[in-house]
Structure formats: C-alpha cells, structure tokens
Amino acid sequence: MVENTIHATQAVVTLDIALPGIIWGWMITLNMWAKSIGTGVVMVGAYLLYKYKKEEVSSLRWIMPLISFIALNVFLLFTLVDLHQPYRMVNIFLHPHWTSAITVGAWMASLFTLLMTILMVIGAADAFPGLGGKKCKITALARNNSGLYEKLFPFVVFLAIPVTMYTAIIMAESSARELWQAPTEMIQMLLAALMAGSAALILSSGSWDKEVRKDLSLVLMVAVFASFLMYMGEYFFSFKSSEAEATLAYVHAGGEFNVEFWFGMVLGFIVPFFLAASTIKSDNTTLLRFAAILTLVGLYLAKDVWLKIPQMLPLS
Amino acid sequence: MKLGFLVDLNLCMGCKGCEIACKVENEVPLSSWRLRVKYIDIGSFPNTSRSFTPLRCNHCENAPCERICPVSALHYLENGIVNIDSARCIGCAGCMMACPYGAIYMDPESNTADKCTYCAHRIESGMMPACVVACPVEANIFGDVEDEHSHISRYIMEHQGGVQVRKPEKHTNPKHYYVGGGTQTLDPLAHQRLEGYGLFNNVTHLEHNGDPHHGVLDRFLAPFVGHEKIDNKSFMDFSADQTTSKEGDH
Ligand code: SF4
Ligand code: SF4
Ligand code: SF4
C-alpha cells in the first residue's frame, strides 16, 4: 500500500521516551457522571414542580435537593482527590485565573452546592416536622425561612445549566484533544444531565402520580435518543480532522474501548429507550426502574471511553 | 523582547547532549523529560535515513496551557517565556491535557507540573540555556526573535520558506522553529510507533503520572506524616516490590 502517505514514507520512530498514559482517568469519569446527576435532577425536578401540584410529587421538594447534594459531594470529592496537590485547591479561590474553565467551574459548582445544601435543609425540615427535635436551631431556622426555598429555586435552576456545561468548556480548552469540540460536548453534557436526572428521579418516583412517571419516561427517551444520535454521528462521520480520526481509531479498531463503548451504547441508550417507551402505556414501574439503572451504567461507560481515547494519541 | 528557539535539523546529529545537559541543569527526575531527541527512521532498506528531532516546550504566544491553568501557575514572563510556578500548582493536570505538544510532565518528586522554561533562571543572569551551551554543532539557536539583528532572526530570514513550527493549525503561535524538518518528523501522526522497531523495547507508555508511590490517601496524609522520599534512585530498582521497601531503602 505504497500510495498511503505513511507507508510511502515508511517513517518509524526508533528511539523516543515513554509517553504519558491516561492522565485523566476513572476519577474524572466519575466526577462528570456524578455532576450530571447533581444538576440533572434539578433541571428535571424544576419541570415537574412547575407542571404538577405538590401532592402529585409529594416528596420531590426534599428528595431532589437531597439526591443533588449527595451527587455534588461525590463530584467535589473526586475533583479534589484527583489533584496531585489536593490541599492547594484553595489556590483556585485565592489566586483565580478567570480564563480557565476549571476556575470558573469550581466557583460555580461551589456556589451551586451551597445553595443546594440550603434547599435540602429547608425541604427536609418542612417535610419531617420532627427532624432535629425541638431544640435544633438549624431546622428551626429552616422552618422559619421556608419561603426562601421558592425564592432561591429559580436561581438554582438557572445555575444548574452552566454548572452542567462547564466541563465541556474544560474539554474544549484541552486543545491537545481534538475529539472534544465545544458545541458537541456542551449539548452532550446537557443531554447527560437530562438522562441522569430523569433516571435518578425515576428511581425515587414510587409514590408519585403515574402521569409524572410518564413524563419522566419521555424525558429519558428523548435524552438517550438525542445523545445516542450524537455519539453515532461522531463515531461514524468524524471525517473533518486528522486527529479526531486518529483518536476514533482507538474505538474503531476493536479491543477494550470498542467493547466498553458498544456496551455503553446498547445498555445505556438503546435498551433504556425501548424499555421507557414500553412503560409509557403500561406504567410498569419495575421496568422503568430497570431502564433508569441501565441508563446510569451506560452513561458512565460512554463518558469513560470518550474521556480516555483522546489521551491515547501521541502528541509529539 | 520575545525569546525564541530555532533548531537546524540539518545540523543535529542526535548526540543527545542537549537532553543530558537539560536533565542535569534542571534536575529533571527519571521518567520525566523537558527536552528529548526523537529518532525517526524514514524509507525502506537500503534507501533509509535517520532523522533526529529535539522536542521541547514551544513557549507559545497563545499558550493553551496558560489559558487552562486555574491558578496562574503557568504564566508569561515579559521576555515571552511561558514560565511555571510549581509552588502554586495544584496538580490538576489541566495543562497536560491542553498542551498540543505533550511538553508538560507531572514531576514525580514535587507532584506538580513542570516543563522547559527556556532556562529562565539562566537567562535572568545573562547565560544561555544549558541545552544551547551543550550542543557541539550549534544546532540550537536561541535569542530574541523581535530583534531583527539577533542571530536567530537572521537565521530565520536566511532560511525563509524552510522554517517550520509544529502544528501551526492549533493557532498557538509557537516561538520555537525548525529548519530542515519535514512532515514525517514534525507531525506525530505522520510516523508510526511500531512495537519491536525501537532501539529499546517495552518502554512505550509511562505507568504513572507523578509520584508512583503517592496514592490517593498519601496525597492527603503526606503533609502530616510525610511520605517515602522519592529521588532518581527510586526509579532504578525495577524488580523490588516498592510497597514493601523499608524507609532508607532508596
Ligand atoms: S508548547 Fe505546550 S507547554 Fe509550551 S507554551 Fe505551548 S502549550 Fe504551553
Ligand atoms: S497542573 Fe498545575 S500548572 Fe498545570 S494547569 Fe493544573 S495548576 Fe496549572
Ligand atoms: S532551555 Fe533549559 S529547560 Fe528548556 S530544554 Fe533547554 S536546557 Fe531544558
């Protein structure tokens, strides 16, 4: 095949250093995955709170901030643990560099977690009158300021969108990895949040009205369908840049990334789509929960492959 | 003033003098490199040639590593050098993800990012970078690219049309030039890395990023309880079980 440039020149590396392996590994996958849940439940939860009466989604007011709070803390923990100098994280606040999406994201995510903590405490204090006992000052303060929840909520929903998307900008600022283009990654992050958010709420929707579950199935279906299409578009039709092509070769060529990617696609996108579609008429809660769990597993696998393959490419 | 580098690949003979000088001058630990000379063989036997390409940080005018650094550990100096303040670095590795040239490493001794600084400490006291001094054939040319009378500027003018930078399409505007380079040598996608073709095999990827003995827990505990001292010798005992080695072993 001498007509192929690389074969025609027969250029082969005969002495070089060992290249770095994967720099951002599973901790960053987990970080992105947990953040999708943490922001997604707020976006999907906001829609439910807007559309339905309080009785129809009785526990949502405290369950939503609780799930978000847990997921955000997992996200923050792994962000911190992945640093080689975790105690210096404080430098992001003492010496912020505003051109960096890491800085802007860390500030927004911290503010978001703080607001979510307030919503969680108020939501839980209102839902459980006995919580904290009579002497607990925090729950008393929360109950006295119950109205703050509704005042803060629109701002929190608004903030959830950039908190979801900023990781896409970090990926875009990672100029060495051409596979990650800002427009695609921003929409993928948003869709991941809708997938993870609806899946997490489905898992806690047992006592809610069946119309609510129908809505959650629809959100899940639309999100997995759109996200799947985007992955397929990139997988099969990324003809534009040589680096993106070379990166995708690590999945196209078979091997562990190929298996992980297709496992993720089938398990987390194709199967949940049909499962969710089938539950819209039947309101089969068990099947829908199964679809939700598969979505969360598949999303992790897809994110993991997309994070790692560009790091396999030799940069110099 | 804008300091730049030019390497004339027609002169470079692949002696690796610059590589060693850099290691010594900057005490770069084993498993890490600020500068390396890459050998690439081109053609089929008997029509083959070997090319040598020194690769270091390009000190880009529009540096993605500086842009992504959340704490400004990477910063521009007035003379155009992209410098790094390892005391501020949080070790997020964002810069390693951003540099299109793979010029940054996580120092296994300090657990912070590091790279070629154009020997900023030597420049400050009026000396040339260590790698320039070491080169026996003067293939490394260093100087002010904004001064049209400097050696490097004159060299660029004399070789107009033959001067290249790596990955110009990234719009990083590198201040590191090559004369006598070709796509096969400067574009990492234009040559193959085939198992079994290297002069030394089994050394294709680093197994660790930063200190190999510095697990997740150590990162948190180290400031209080200390951790195993890492120096160059730590990397040389390949067969020893590192986790069971006693203090003072290394
Ligand atoms: S070559 Fe890489 S490390 Fe050097 S300035 Fe450019 S982006 Fe930064
Ligand atoms: S690893 Fe250090 S130098 Fe690199 S981007 Fe992070 S803080 Fe900045
Ligand atoms: S300029 Fe200094 S730090 Fe950079 S490669 Fe040369 S010796 Fe190493």
PDB file of all heavy atoms in Angstrom, chain A residues 303-315:
ATOM      1  N   LYS A 303     -19.121   7.863  28.794  1.00  0.00           N
ATOM      2  CA  LYS A 303     -18.292   9.009  29.210  1.00  0.00           C
ATOM      3  C   LYS A 303     -16.842   8.562  29.398  1.00  0.00           C
ATOM      4  O   LYS A 303     -15.902   9.284  29.060  1.00  0.00           O
ATOM      5  CB  LYS A 303     -18.804   9.587  30.533  1.00  0.00           C
ATOM      6  CG  LYS A 303     -20.117  10.323  30.411  1.00  0.00           C
ATOM      7  CD  LYS A 303     -19.903  11.813  30.593  1.00  0.00           C
ATOM      8  CE  LYS A 303     -21.103  12.622  30.208  1.00  0.00           C
ATOM      9  NZ  LYS A 303     -20.890  13.605  29.190  1.00  0.00           N
ATOM     10  N   ASP A 304     -16.683   7.370  29.965  1.00  0.00           N
ATOM     11  CA  ASP A 304     -15.349   6.852  30.248  1.00  0.00           C
ATOM     12  C   ASP A 304     -14.538   6.675  28.960  1.00  0.00           C
ATOM     13  O   ASP A 304     -13.385   7.100  28.878  1.00  0.00           O
ATOM     14  CB  ASP A 304     -15.491   5.513  30.988  1.00  0.00           C
ATOM     15  CG  ASP A 304     -14.188   5.072  31.609  1.00  0.00           C
ATOM     16  OD1 ASP A 304     -13.605   5.875  32.362  1.00  0.00           O
ATOM     17  OD2 ASP A 304     -13.747   3.941  31.342  1.00  0.00           O
ATOM     18  N   VAL A 305     -15.166   6.093  27.944  1.00  0.00           N
ATOM     19  CA  VAL A 305     -14.460   5.873  26.674  1.00  0.00           C
ATOM     20  C   VAL A 305     -14.114   7.211  26.035  1.00  0.00           C
ATOM     21  O   VAL A 305     -12.977   7.446  25.606  1.00  0.00           O
ATOM     22  CB  VAL A 305     -15.330   5.033  25.698  1.00  0.00           C
ATOM     23  CG1 VAL A 305     -14.681   4.965  24.325  1.00  0.00           C
ATOM     24  CG2 VAL A 305     -15.544   3.646  26.260  1.00  0.00           C
ATOM     25  N   TRP A 306     -15.100   8.105  26.015  1.00  0.00           N
ATOM     26  CA  TRP A 306     -14.881   9.405  25.348  1.00  0.00           C
ATOM     27  C   TRP A 306     -13.805  10.233  26.060  1.00  0.00           C
ATOM     28  O   TRP A 306     -13.139  11.040  25.454  1.00  0.00           O
ATOM     29  CB  TRP A 306     -16.211  10.170  25.269  1.00  0.00           C
ATOM     30  CG  TRP A 306     -16.459  10.697  23.900  1.00  0.00           C
ATOM     31  CD1 TRP A 306     -16.527  12.006  23.538  1.00  0.00           C
ATOM     32  CD2 TRP A 306     -16.655   9.934  22.698  1.00  0.00           C
ATOM     33  NE1 TRP A 306     -16.753  12.108  22.188  1.00  0.00           N
ATOM     34  CE2 TRP A 306     -16.823  10.852  21.648  1.00  0.00           C
ATOM     35  CE3 TRP A 306     -16.663   8.579  22.396  1.00  0.00           C
ATOM     36  CZ2 TRP A 306     -17.030  10.449  20.329  1.00  0.00           C
ATOM     37  CZ3 TRP A 306     -16.874   8.179  21.086  1.00  0.00           C
ATOM     38  CH2 TRP A 306     -17.049   9.112  20.078  1.00  0.00           C
ATOM     39  N   LEU A 307     -13.679  10.015  27.369  1.00  0.00           N
ATOM     40  CA  LEU A 307     -12.648  10.739  28.118  1.00  0.00           C
ATOM     41  C   LEU A 307     -11.259  10.166  27.829  1.00  0.00           C
ATOM     42  O   LEU A 307     -10.283  10.904  27.702  1.00  0.00           O
ATOM     43  CB  LEU A 307     -12.930  10.633  29.626  1.00  0.00           C
ATOM     44  CG  LEU A 307     -11.878  11.251  30.545  1.00  0.00           C
ATOM     45  CD1 LEU A 307     -12.016  12.775  30.554  1.00  0.00           C
ATOM     46  CD2 LEU A 307     -11.983  10.730  31.968  1.00  0.00           C
ATOM     47  N   LYS A 308     -11.196   8.849  27.699  1.00  0.00           N
ATOM     48  CA  LYS A 308      -9.875   8.214  27.641  1.00  0.00           C
ATOM     49  C   LYS A 308      -9.251   8.141  26.246  1.00  0.00           C
ATOM     50  O   LYS A 308      -8.042   8.290  26.119  1.00  0.00           O
ATOM     51  CB  LYS A 308      -9.950   6.801  28.239  1.00  0.00           C
ATOM     52  CG  LYS A 308     -10.073   6.819  29.764  1.00  0.00           C
ATOM     53  CD  LYS A 308     -10.239   5.432  30.310  1.00  0.00           C
ATOM     54  CE  LYS A 308     -10.354   5.451  31.833  1.00  0.00           C
ATOM     55  NZ  LYS A 308     -10.782   4.141  32.347  1.00  0.00           N
ATOM     56  N   ILE A 309     -10.065   7.890  25.212  1.00  0.00           N
ATOM     57  CA  ILE A 309      -9.434   7.646  23.902  1.00  0.00           C
ATOM     58  C   ILE A 309      -8.566   8.799  23.382  1.00  0.00           C
ATOM     59  O   ILE A 309      -7.501   8.538  22.833  1.00  0.00           O
ATOM     60  CB  ILE A 309     -10.417   7.156  22.806  1.00  0.00           C
ATOM     61  CG1 ILE A 309     -11.667   8.018  22.767  1.00  0.00           C
ATOM     62  CG2 ILE A 309     -10.732   5.679  22.961  1.00  0.00           C
ATOM     63  CD1 ILE A 309     -12.569   7.711  21.549  1.00  0.00           C
ATOM     64  N   PRO A 310      -8.948  10.062  23.582  1.00  0.00           N
ATOM     65  CA  PRO A 310      -8.050  11.107  23.053  1.00  0.00           C
ATOM     66  C   PRO A 310      -6.702  11.126  23.763  1.00  0.00           C
ATOM     67  O   PRO A 310      -5.734  11.660  23.245  1.00  0.00           O
ATOM     68  CB  PRO A 310      -8.810  12.411  23.325  1.00  0.00           C
ATOM     69  CG  PRO A 310     -10.179  12.026  23.661  1.00  0.00           C
ATOM     70  CD  PRO A 310     -10.130  10.649  24.223  1.00  0.00           C
ATOM     71  N   GLN A 311      -6.658  10.541  24.957  1.00  0.00           N
ATOM     72  CA  GLN A 311      -5.399  10.565  25.706  1.00  0.00           C
ATOM     73  C   GLN A 311      -4.438   9.477  25.239  1.00  0.00           C
ATOM     74  O   GLN A 311      -3.299   9.422  25.682  1.00  0.00           O
ATOM     75  CB  GLN A 311      -5.683  10.417  27.199  1.00  0.00           C
ATOM     76  CG  GLN A 311      -6.579  11.525  27.729  1.00  0.00           C
ATOM     77  CD  GLN A 311      -6.844  11.390  29.207  1.00  0.00           C
ATOM     78  OE1 GLN A 311      -5.920  11.283  30.000  1.00  0.00           O
ATOM     79  NE2 GLN A 311      -8.101  11.386  29.585  1.00  0.00           N
ATOM     80  N   MET A 312      -4.916   8.604  24.372  1.00  0.00           N
ATOM     81  CA  MET A 312      -4.054   7.534  23.859  1.00  0.00           C
ATOM     82  C   MET A 312      -3.161   8.042  22.717  1.00  0.00           C
ATOM     83  O   MET A 312      -2.165   7.427  22.383  1.00  0.00           O
ATOM     84  CB  MET A 312      -4.900   6.372  23.321  1.00  0.00           C
ATOM     85  CG  MET A 312      -5.889   5.783  24.292  1.00  0.00           C
ATOM     86  SD  MET A 312      -5.078   5.035  25.680  1.00  0.00           S
ATOM     87  CE  MET A 312      -4.276   3.660  24.893  1.00  0.00           C
ATOM     88  N   LEU A 313      -3.561   9.148  22.120  1.00  0.00           N
ATOM     89  CA  LEU A 313      -2.873   9.638  20.922  1.00  0.00           C
ATOM     90  C   LEU A 313      -1.518  10.260  21.268  1.00  0.00           C
ATOM     91  O   LEU A 313      -1.440  11.099  22.154  1.00  0.00           O
ATOM     92  CB  LEU A 313      -3.773  10.715  20.281  1.00  0.00           C
ATOM     93  CG  LEU A 313      -3.575  11.007  18.817  1.00  0.00           C
ATOM     94  CD1 LEU A 313      -4.007   9.821  17.976  1.00  0.00           C
ATOM     95  CD2 LEU A 313      -4.394  12.233  18.424  1.00  0.00           C
ATOM     96  N   PRO A 314      -0.431   9.865  20.580  1.00  0.00           N
ATOM     97  CA  PRO A 314       0.858  10.535  20.826  1.00  0.00           C
ATOM     98  C   PRO A 314       0.773  11.994  20.366  1.00  0.00           C
ATOM     99  O   PRO A 314       0.314  12.257  19.257  1.00  0.00           O
ATOM    100  CB  PRO A 314       1.855   9.756  19.965  1.00  0.00           C
ATOM    101  CG  PRO A 314       1.115   8.639  19.338  1.00  0.00           C
ATOM    102  CD  PRO A 314      -0.352   8.846  19.535  1.00  0.00           C
ATOM    103  N   LEU A 315       1.193  12.915  21.213  1.00  0.00           N
ATOM    104  CA  LEU A 315       1.061  14.331  20.865  1.00  0.00           C
ATOM    105  C   LEU A 315       2.306  14.892  20.184  1.00  0.00           C
ATOM    106  O   LEU A 315       2.274  15.959  19.595  1.00  0.00           O
ATOM    107  CB  LEU A 315       0.764  15.154  22.121  1.00  0.00           C
ATOM    108  CG  LEU A 315      -0.568  14.845  22.806  1.00  0.00           C
ATOM    109  CD1 LEU A 315      -0.700  15.627  24.095  1.00  0.00           C
ATOM    110  CD2 LEU A 315      -1.732  15.151  21.884  1.00  0.00           C
TER     111      LEU A 315
END
